[in-house]
Amino acid sequence: MTTSSLPARAGRRCHAVLNPLHSALYFAPDLARELAPYGIEDPTAVYLAGRAAPLGRVGPGVVTAVFHSFHHDLVARHLPAVWELASPGTVVAARLRAADSMLRRLLGDKAVESGEMTEAARLALRAAEGCVRPGRPLYAAHADLPVPDAPHLALWHAATLLREHRGDGHLAVLQHAGLDPLEALVSHTASGHGMSPKWVLATRGWHRRDWDAARERLRGRGLLDAAGEPTEAGTALRKELEAETDRLDAAPYEHLGASGTARLTELCGAFTTAAVGAGAFPPDAFGRG
């Protein structure tokens, strides 16, 4: 067993403030506005194309596998057809323009052009040097993209690399725990940290009956109680999942070091706080409601 030079959960805390800088794009109007001229207007098509474009002209099977939480029929409704409207390269370019307009709108030009932004980008890119490609398909696809020159876009790119690197590892942990995609979503929401059922059902292609069936399976495993709350075993499993995900995701933050990770967390914490305060996420997107 290897020992870490970082304080406990330092990487997780850094991820918690880096990830929103990437994922806010999926809740913002900017990407849809950039893709609308190509005829990509359905919100699900916008999301699928925007996130999958670095993989190339892939079909629904690949995207269902690497995204994990989407119903395959929903993915197949939009892929590969969306690539007939805009090539993956076109979508990647549109996505970067959308990230630019989103960050300027949420943070303001002063923050975007600040020394703190340049420092955060440098630290995040340094952390991303510690990521690994094998077994990490979404990270590996993004790692083949060039690093943007502008510091705020370089930070967004690095946040994307770090997010997908952690996400790829997390999916392996879920598989090992025997949780299918919807069981993983239900248990995460029950813990108070996941997306709300309303948002999952509206965006992932699942029906309420699917959600209820997943809850019953989790009850059968003793992970949820009759009211749908996590049992002691369910709470312990969620802690184990996060701890193992942390272990698989330690390399980038070990590479950056304790002081660099702490500074990156401080800088991005300020940016994320500002973005959330500016309305980066809908108020009902997360939680048990």
Coordinates of all heavy atoms in Angstrom, one line a residue, residues 138-185:
L138 N -12.4 8.6 -21.6 CA -12.9 10.0 -21.8 C -11.7 10.9 -21.5 O -11.5 11.9 -22.2 CB -14.0 10.3 -20.9 CG -15.4 10.2 -21.5 CD1 -16.5 10.6 -20.5 CD2 -15.5 11.2 -22.7
Y139 N -10.9 10.6 -20.5 CA -9.7 11.5 -20.2 C -8.8 11.4 -21.4 O -8.3 12.4 -21.9 CB -9.0 11.0 -18.9 CG -7.6 11.5 -19.0 CD1 -7.3 12.9 -18.7 CD2 -6.5 10.7 -19.3 CE1 -6.0 13.3 -18.8 CE2 -5.2 11.1 -19.4 CZ -5.0 12.5 -19.2 OH -3.7 12.9 -19.3
A140 N -8.5 10.2 -21.9 CA -7.5 10.0 -22.9 C -7.9 10.8 -24.2 O -7.1 11.4 -24.9 CB -7.3 8.5 -23.2
A141 N -9.2 10.8 -24.5 CA -9.7 11.5 -25.7 C -9.4 13.0 -25.5 O -9.0 13.7 -26.5 CB -11.1 11.2 -26.0
H142 N -9.7 13.5 -24.4 CA -9.5 14.9 -24.1 C -8.0 15.3 -24.0 O -7.6 16.4 -24.4 CB -10.2 15.4 -22.8 CG -11.7 15.5 -23.0 ND1 -12.6 14.4 -22.9 CD2 -12.5 16.6 -23.2 CE1 -13.8 14.8 -23.1 NE2 -13.8 16.1 -23.2
A143 N -7.2 14.4 -23.6 CA -5.8 14.6 -23.5 C -5.1 14.8 -24.8 O -4.0 15.3 -24.9 CB -5.1 13.5 -22.7
D144 N -5.8 14.3 -25.9 CA -5.3 14.5 -27.2 C -5.5 15.8 -27.8 O -5.0 16.2 -28.9 CB -5.8 13.4 -28.2 CG -5.2 12.0 -27.9 OD1 -4.1 11.9 -27.3 OD2 -5.8 11.0 -28.4
L145 N -6.4 16.6 -27.2 CA -6.7 18.0 -27.7 C -5.6 18.9 -27.3 O -4.9 18.8 -26.2 CB -8.0 18.5 -27.1 CG -9.3 17.6 -27.4 CD1 -10.5 18.2 -26.6 CD2 -9.5 17.6 -28.9
P146 N -5.3 20.0 -28.1 CA -4.3 20.9 -27.7 C -4.8 21.8 -26.5 O -6.0 22.0 -26.3 CB -4.2 21.8 -29.0 CG -5.5 21.6 -29.7 CD -6.0 20.2 -29.4
V147 N -3.8 22.3 -25.8 CA -4.1 23.2 -24.7 C -4.3 24.6 -25.2 O -3.5 25.1 -25.9 CB -2.9 23.2 -23.7 CG1 -3.2 24.2 -22.5 CG2 -2.6 21.8 -23.1
P148 N -5.4 25.2 -24.9 CA -5.7 26.6 -25.4 C -4.7 27.6 -24.8 O -4.1 27.4 -23.8 CB -7.1 26.9 -24.8 CG -7.7 25.5 -24.5 CD -6.6 24.7 -24.1
D149 N -4.4 28.6 -25.6 CA -3.5 29.6 -25.2 C -4.0 30.5 -24.0 O -3.3 30.8 -23.1 CB -3.1 30.5 -26.4 CG -2.3 29.7 -27.4 OD1 -1.6 28.8 -27.0 OD2 -2.4 30.1 -28.6
A150 N -5.2 30.9 -24.1 CA -5.8 31.9 -23.1 C -5.8 31.2 -21.8 O -6.3 30.0 -21.7 CB -7.2 32.3 -23.5
P151 N -5.4 31.8 -20.7 CA -5.3 31.1 -19.4 C -6.7 30.6 -18.9 O -6.8 29.5 -18.4 CB -4.8 32.2 -18.4 CG -4.0 33.1 -19.3 CD -4.7 33.1 -20.6
H152 N -7.8 31.4 -19.1 CA -9.1 30.9 -18.6 C -9.5 29.7 -19.4 O -10.2 28.8 -18.8 CB -10.1 32.0 -18.6 CG -10.5 32.5 -20.0 ND1 -9.6 33.1 -20.9 CD2 -11.7 32.4 -20.6 CE1 -10.3 33.4 -22.0 NE2 -11.5 33.0 -21.9
L153 N -9.2 29.6 -20.6 CA -9.5 28.4 -21.4 C -8.6 27.2 -21.1 O -9.0 26.1 -21.1 CB -9.5 28.7 -22.9 CG -10.6 29.7 -23.3 CD1 -10.5 30.0 -24.8 CD2 -12.0 29.3 -22.9
A154 N -7.3 27.6 -20.8 CA -6.4 26.5 -20.4 C -6.9 25.9 -19.0 O -6.8 24.7 -18.8 CB -5.0 27.1 -20.2
L155 N -7.4 26.8 -18.1 CA -7.9 26.3 -16.9 C -9.1 25.4 -17.1 O -9.3 24.3 -16.5 CB -8.3 27.4 -15.9 CG -8.9 27.0 -14.6 CD1 -8.0 26.1 -13.8 CD2 -9.3 28.2 -13.8
W156 N -10.0 25.8 -18.0 CA -11.2 25.0 -18.3 C -10.8 23.7 -18.9 O -11.4 22.6 -18.5 CB -12.1 25.8 -19.3 CG -13.4 25.1 -19.5 CD1 -14.5 25.1 -18.8 CD2 -13.7 24.2 -20.6 NE1 -15.5 24.3 -19.3 CE2 -15.0 23.7 -20.4 CE3 -13.0 23.7 -21.7 CZ2 -15.6 22.8 -21.3 CZ3 -13.6 22.8 -22.5 CH2 -14.9 22.3 -22.3
H157 N -9.8 23.7 -19.8 CA -9.3 22.5 -20.4 C -8.7 21.5 -19.3 O -9.0 20.3 -19.3 CB -8.3 22.8 -21.5 CG -7.6 21.6 -22.0 ND1 -8.2 20.8 -23.0 CD2 -6.3 21.1 -21.8 CE1 -7.3 19.9 -23.3 NE2 -6.2 20.0 -22.7
A158 N -7.9 22.1 -18.4 CA -7.3 21.3 -17.4 C -8.4 20.7 -16.4 O -8.3 19.6 -16.0 CB -6.3 22.1 -16.6
A159 N -9.4 21.6 -16.1 CA -10.5 21.1 -15.3 C -11.2 19.9 -15.9 O -11.6 19.0 -15.2 CB -11.4 22.2 -15.0
T160 N -11.3 20.0 -17.2 CA -12.0 18.9 -18.0 C -11.2 17.7 -17.9 O -11.7 16.6 -17.7 CB -12.2 19.4 -19.4 OG1 -12.9 20.6 -19.5 CG2 -12.9 18.3 -20.2
L161 N -9.9 17.8 -18.1 CA -9.0 16.6 -18.0 C -9.1 15.9 -16.7 O -9.2 14.7 -16.5 CB -7.5 17.0 -18.3 CG -7.2 17.5 -19.7 CD1 -5.7 17.9 -19.7 CD2 -7.5 16.5 -20.8
L162 N -9.0 16.8 -15.6 CA -9.1 16.2 -14.3 C -10.4 15.6 -13.9 O -10.5 14.6 -13.2 CB -8.7 17.3 -13.3 CG -7.2 17.8 -13.4 CD1 -7.0 19.1 -12.7 CD2 -6.3 16.7 -12.8
R163 N -11.5 16.3 -14.4 CA -12.8 15.7 -14.2 C -13.0 14.4 -14.8 O -13.5 13.4 -14.2 CB -13.9 16.7 -14.7 CG -15.3 16.1 -14.8 CD -16.0 16.8 -16.0 NE -17.2 16.0 -16.3 CZ -18.5 16.3 -15.9 NH1 -18.6 17.2 -15.0 NH2 -19.5 15.5 -16.3
E164 N -12.6 14.3 -16.1 CA -12.9 13.0 -16.8 C -11.9 11.9 -16.3 O -12.3 10.8 -16.3 CB -12.7 13.2 -18.3 CG -13.7 14.3 -18.9 CD -15.1 13.9 -18.8 OE1 -15.5 13.0 -18.1 OE2 -15.9 14.6 -19.5
H165 N -10.7 12.3 -15.9 CA -9.8 11.3 -15.3 C -10.4 10.7 -14.0 O -10.5 9.5 -13.9 CB -8.5 12.0 -15.0 CG -7.4 11.0 -14.5 ND1 -7.2 10.7 -13.2 CD2 -6.5 10.3 -15.2 CE1 -6.2 9.9 -13.1 NE2 -5.8 9.6 -14.3
R166 N -10.9 11.6 -13.2 CA -11.6 11.0 -12.0 C -12.8 10.3 -12.3 O -13.1 9.2 -11.7 CB -12.0 12.2 -11.0 CG -12.6 11.7 -9.7 CD -12.9 12.9 -8.8 NE -13.5 12.4 -7.5 CZ -12.8 12.1 -6.5 NH1 -11.5 12.1 -6.5 NH2 -13.4 11.6 -5.4
G167 N -13.6 10.8 -13.3 CA -14.9 10.1 -13.6 C -14.6 8.7 -14.2 O -15.4 7.8 -13.9
D168 N -13.6 8.6 -15.0 CA -13.3 7.2 -15.6 C -13.0 6.2 -14.5 O -13.4 5.1 -14.5 CB -12.1 7.3 -16.6 CG -12.5 7.9 -17.9 OD1 -13.7 7.9 -18.3 OD2 -11.6 8.5 -18.6
G169 N -12.2 6.7 -13.5 CA -11.9 5.8 -12.4 C -13.1 5.5 -11.5 O -13.2 4.4 -11.1
H170 N -14.0 6.5 -11.4 CA -15.2 6.3 -10.5 C -16.1 5.2 -11.2 O -16.7 4.4 -10.4 CB -15.9 7.6 -10.4 CG -17.1 7.5 -9.5 ND1 -17.0 7.2 -8.1 CD2 -18.4 7.7 -9.7 CE1 -18.2 7.2 -7.6 NE2 -19.1 7.5 -8.5
L171 N -16.1 5.2 -12.5 CA -17.0 4.2 -13.1 C -16.4 2.8 -12.9 O -17.2 1.8 -12.7 CB -17.1 4.4 -14.6 CG -17.7 5.7 -15.1 CD1 -18.0 5.8 -16.6 CD2 -19.0 6.0 -14.3
A172 N -15.1 2.6 -12.9 CA -14.5 1.3 -12.5 C -14.9 0.9 -11.1 O -15.2 -0.3 -10.8 CB -13.0 1.4 -12.7
V173 N -14.9 1.9 -10.2 CA -15.3 1.6 -8.8 C -16.8 1.2 -8.7 O -17.1 0.2 -8.0 CB -15.0 2.8 -7.9 CG1 -15.5 2.6 -6.5 CG2 -13.5 3.1 -7.9
L174 N -17.6 1.8 -9.4 CA -19.0 1.5 -9.4 C -19.2 0.1 -10.0 O -20.1 -0.7 -9.5 CB -19.9 2.5 -10.3 CG -19.9 3.9 -9.8 CD1 -20.7 4.8 -10.7 CD2 -20.6 3.9 -8.4
Q175 N -18.5 -0.3 -11.0 CA -18.6 -1.6 -11.6 C -18.2 -2.7 -10.6 O -18.8 -3.7 -10.4 CB -17.7 -1.7 -12.9 CG -18.2 -0.9 -14.0 CD -19.3 -1.5 -14.8 OE1 -19.5 -2.7 -14.7 NE2 -20.0 -0.8 -15.6
H176 N -17.1 -2.4 -9.9 CA -16.6 -3.3 -8.9 C -17.6 -3.5 -7.7 O -17.7 -4.6 -7.2 CB -15.3 -2.8 -8.3 CG -14.6 -3.7 -7.3 ND1 -14.1 -5.0 -7.7 CD2 -14.5 -3.6 -6.0 CE1 -13.6 -5.6 -6.6 NE2 -13.8 -4.8 -5.6
A177 N -18.3 -2.4 -7.4 CA -19.3 -2.5 -6.3 C -20.6 -3.2 -6.8 O -21.5 -3.4 -5.9 CB -19.6 -1.1 -5.8
G178 N -20.8 -3.4 -8.1 CA -22.0 -4.1 -8.6 C -23.2 -3.2 -8.7 O -24.3 -3.6 -8.6
L179 N -22.9 -1.9 -8.8 CA -24.0 -0.9 -9.0 C -24.2 -0.6 -10.5 O -23.2 -0.2 -11.2 CB -23.7 0.4 -8.3 CG -23.6 0.4 -6.7 CD1 -23.2 1.7 -6.2 CD2 -25.0 0.0 -6.2
D180 N -25.4 -0.8 -11.0 CA -25.7 -0.4 -12.4 C -25.8 1.1 -12.4 O -25.9 1.8 -11.4 CB -26.9 -1.2 -12.9 CG -28.2 -0.8 -12.3 OD1 -28.4 0.3 -11.9 OD2 -29.1 -1.7 -12.3
P181 N -25.9 1.7 -13.7 CA -26.0 3.1 -13.8 C -27.1 3.8 -12.9 O -26.8 4.8 -12.3 CB -26.2 3.3 -15.3 CG -25.6 2.2 -15.9 CD -25.8 1.0 -15.0
L182 N -28.3 3.3 -13.0 CA -29.3 3.9 -12.3 C -29.2 3.7 -10.7 O -29.6 4.6 -9.9 CB -30.7 3.5 -12.8 CG -31.9 4.4 -12.5 CD1 -31.6 5.9 -12.8 CD2 -33.1 4.0 -13.2
E183 N -28.8 2.5 -10.3 CA -28.5 2.3 -8.9 C -27.5 3.3 -8.4 O -27.6 3.8 -7.2 CB -28.1 0.9 -8.7 CG -29.2 -0.2 -8.9 CD -28.6 -1.6 -9.0 OE1 -27.4 -1.8 -8.9 OE2 -29.5 -2.5 -9.2
A184 N -26.5 3.5 -9.2 CA -25.4 4.5 -8.8 C -26.0 5.9 -8.6 O -25.8 6.6 -7.6 CB -24.3 4.5 -9.8
L185 N -26.9 6.3 -9.5 CA -27.5 7.6 -9.5 C -28.5 7.7 -8.3 O -28.5 8.7 -7.5 CB -28.3 7.9 -10.7 CG -27.5 8.2 -12.0 CD1 -28.4 8.1 -13.2 CD2 -26.8 9.5 -11.9

